[in-house]
Amino acid sequence: MAAADLIELWRGDLMESVHRGHAVVWDRGGMVAAWGDADAVIFPRSSCKMLQALPLIESGAADAAGLGTEQLALACASHQGARIHVDRVAAWLDGLGLAEPDLRCGAHMPNDPPENRRLTCSDEAPCQLHNNCSGKHAGFLTWTRHHRAGTDYHEPDHPLQQAVRRVFEEVTDETSPGYGIDGCSAPNFATSVSGLARAMSAFAVAASGEGSGARTAAMRRLTRAMTAHPDLVAGEGRACTELMRAMGGRVAVKTGAEAVFVAIAPDKGLGIALKIADGATRASEAAITALLVRLGLLDAGHPVVGKYLTDPLRNWRGIAVAERRLATGFDA
């Protein structure tokens, strides 16, 4: 099946652009709704960090290191590189007897405006702590230290990444057809959009309090850590943080590069996964916002809905010049 039209951009009386993609809603009983091709195989990118963090808890490494909810939220984060992120990851590594050079994620300028400005004005280079995936990699290092495994934990054949793959396939209930290397150098295992939605529903059911066992408990802890610390999962001005705040900590949401977005809704046992085919973030943010509203998880009148979906787009003089619309078939 082809990708479905999901988000349109209108300027004047003309549809200027259209964003196509795939979206799936899954609950305890199976698939609830789908647009596009539910079986489309994608790289989930950073939207699957909760899955990548499961071995951290299931192995006992998290408890052995005394990790709390802040560290678990950072393990699932694609953060801005603000001081609240950088300082916490640095302290986490220090508690392990490790430091920034032990990371394997690479360095980039932070997206947090104050920290970016501080580095720019001081002519200081960013370090790996500023990498948006440094929390995930601190979790990887925690597992590696606990198991006394090799230092190159990012390599696909490392025991950690093999453990991640096993968990990933079990929770998505699919054999991954392969992997690509993510921006942070770790392997990112492919799955279908429906497999990703199924996994998010499993997290939702676990976080609702249903079920028992080590995996259920791990899923519950990670989901609750994310909703307890939305500022650590992304950062100020970011859709993940703002959407979670708008829903009062009842739903966890997580973006991934190339316009992937997921949501975990424990109250309804719902998992959502979507992928915009052209990789446009503006479309994935609009689409996840629309689905959250449609499913009764987000108040349609909340200002965050305007920011990511319904407010007009304005030019540099503040004049309303365009608008986002839900495509026919996605607006019901």
Side-chain angles (χ1 to χ4, degrees), residues 111-306:
N111 292 320
D112 176 66
E115 182 65 3
N116 189 298
R117 184 166 53 250
R118 185 189 71 81
L119 292 175
T120 300
C121 294
S122 65
D123 201 26
E124 179 181 340
C127 69
Q128 294 185 99
L129 297 172
H130 291 103
N131 187 300
N132 73 95
C133 296
S134 66
K136 178 179 81 172
H137 281 249
F140 286 168
L141 279 170
T142 303
W143 187 98
T144 301
R145 180 178 177 274
H146 182 73
H147 290 274
R148 296 180 173 84
T151 57
D152 288 330
Y153 61 81
H154 63 294
E155 296 290 349
D157 60 352
H158 190 278
L160 167 62
Q161 300 305 334
Q162 292 303 303
V164 169
R165 180 167 192 157
R166 284 192 298 273
V167 169
F168 184 89
E169 294 181 334
E170 289 167 5
V171 181
T172 59
D173 196 26
E174 294 181 356
T175 298
S176 175
Y179 65 87
I181 302 302
D182 216 331
C184 68
S185 297
N188 194 252
F189 298 104
T191 190
S192 70
V193 181
S194 59
L196 188 57
R198 182 189 295 115
M200 295 305 105
S201 179
F203 273 84
V205 172
S208 74
E210 296 180 29
S212 60
R215 175 150 302 161
T216 296
M219 289 178 171
R220 184 178 300 135
R221 288 175 67 182
L222 290 168
T223 304
R224 292 180 177 178
M226 291 176 68
T227 56
H229 302 287
D231 54 338
L232 297 182
V233 174
E236 299 306 319
R238 291 277 302 284
C240 291
T241 296
E242 294 186 336
L243 288 168
M244 284 194 279
R245 284 175 176 165
M247 293 181 286
R250 296 180 297 109
V251 179
V253 296
K254 184 71 187 68
T255 191
E258 296 302 319
V260 182
F261 233 116
V262 300
I264 300 168
D267 290 352
K268 299 189 176 186
L270 283 174
I272 305 170
L274 68 87
K275 160 69 177 177
I276 301 298
D278 63 12
T281 298
R282 72 177 183 186
S284 63
E285 292 175 344
I288 194 68
T289 301
L291 287 173
L292 293 170
V293 170
R294 176 178 302 158
L295 295 167
L297 302 168
L298 176 61
D299 181 359
H302 195 285
V304 76
V305 177

Side-chain angles (χ1 to χ4, degrees), residues 10-12 310-324:
W10 285 75
R11 190 177 301 266
T310 58
D311 285 352
L313 302 179
R314 299 181 181 275
N315 67 11
W316 298 114
R317 295 186 62 204
I319 300 170
V321 295
E323 63 179 334
R324 292 157 290 200

Side-chain angles (χ1 to χ4, degrees), residues 23-25 31-38:
V24 173
V25 181
M31 190 182 299
V32 175
W35 296 264
D37 184 1

Side-chain angles (χ1 to χ4, degrees), residues 70 74 77-94 99-100 103 108-112 114-116 118-119 124-135 138 231-232 234:
E70 288 190 351
L74 284 166
S78 296
H79 63 69
Q80 292 281 79
R83 295 314 308 177
I84 63 167
H85 307 120
V86 171
D87 291 346
R88 281 169 172 77
V89 175
W92 180 356
L93 293 176
D94 185 64
E100 183 268 349
L103 296 169
H108 63 71
M109 285 293 286
N111 292 320
D112 176 66
E115 182 65 3
N116 189 298
R118 185 189 71 81
L119 292 175
E124 179 181 340
C127 69
Q128 294 185 99
L129 297 172
H130 291 103
N131 187 300
N132 73 95
C133 296
S134 66
D231 54 338
L232 297 182

Side-chain angles (χ1 to χ4, degrees), residues 34-106:
W35 296 264
D37 184 1
D39 295 324
V41 175
I42 65 168
F43 289 118
R45 303 298 295 272
S46 288
S47 75
C48 73
K49 283 180 177 175
M50 301 79 78
L51 288 161
Q52 293 172 308
L54 282 173
L56 171 65
I57 298 178
E58 291 182 354
S59 68
D63 288 337
L67 301 188
T69 57
E70 288 190 351
Q71 288 88 1
L72 295 182
L74 284 166
C76 301
S78 296
H79 63 69
Q80 292 281 79
R83 295 314 308 177
I84 63 167
H85 307 120
V86 171
D87 291 346
R88 281 169 172 77
V89 175
W92 180 356
L93 293 176
D94 185 64
L96 297 173
L98 301 172
E100 183 268 349
D102 294 299
L103 296 169
R104 296 291 185 269
C105 54

